Amino acid sequence: MSITVHLRYTGKRNAAIDFAKEMTESGVVEKIRAEKGNLRYEYYQPLFDGKEDKTVLLIDQWENQEAIDIHHTSPMMAEIAGLREKYDLHMTVERFVADEGGVPESDKEFIRK
């Protein structure tokens, strides 16, 4: 049962974008992706939100809660926390548990492959 976490980062102007760039360019993102149990770690930005203060969405997916707990005790968490402080970011968080049954037959007709 995988767990997906959506973290929305916001800050003044481009702070969230600058944070995501530094996370990527410093190698922290690659370290997280290499952690046991990490399935996905990707940043996205809304296209048409019209806000001066930009938001960045992190989609963070793990095999299970144990993998998340191990990640939370890793040295990378101190690096991430430091960068969040540096860019004065605020966050909202949503958690989702995978639907083990997959896409229902009744929904498949709406999916174009």
Side-chain angles (χ1 to χ4, degrees):
M1 168 186 67
S2 68
I3 299 170
T4 301
V5 183
H6 288 184
L7 293 99
R8 284 181 183 81
Y9 288 102
T10 57
K12 299 282 185 196
R13 295 177 192 43
N14 288 330
I17 295 168
D18 295 340
F19 164 79
K21 285 181 183 176
E22 187 165 346
M23 285 283 292
T24 302
E25 292 169 359
S26 69
V28 173
V29 168
E30 283 306 313
K31 289 179 195 173
I32 293 168
R33 288 178 179 159
E35 285 184 283
K36 185 177 186 220
N38 182 265
L39 302 173
R40 184 176 184 187
Y41 197 91
E42 299 172 339
Y43 290 104
Y44 295 90
Q45 182 184 0
L47 294 177
F48 308 110
D49 69 0
K51 297 177 184 174
E52 181 180 345
D53 296 336
K54 302 300 178 193
T55 297
V56 169
L57 169 67
L58 168 62
I59 299 178
D60 189 14
Q61 185 177 23
W62 297 86
E63 287 179 358
N64 51 42
Q65 185 61 48
E66 180 182 8
I68 294 172
D69 293 343
I70 292 169
H71 167 66
H72 284 161
T73 62
S74 73
M76 272 133 346
M77 286 308 299
E79 292 181 65
I80 295 168
L83 290 175
R84 289 174 182 162
E85 286 295 318
K86 175 181 176 179
Y87 291 102
D88 191 24
L89 297 179
H90 301 276
M91 304 158 43
T92 60
V93 179
E94 298 173 304
R95 289 173 47 105
F96 306 91
V97 177
D99 179 353
E100 298 297 324
V103 178
E105 288 299 320
S106 59
D107 289 350
K108 288 184 179 179
E109 69 179 277
F110 302 104
I111 299 171
R112 185 168 188 250
K113 293 185 180 187

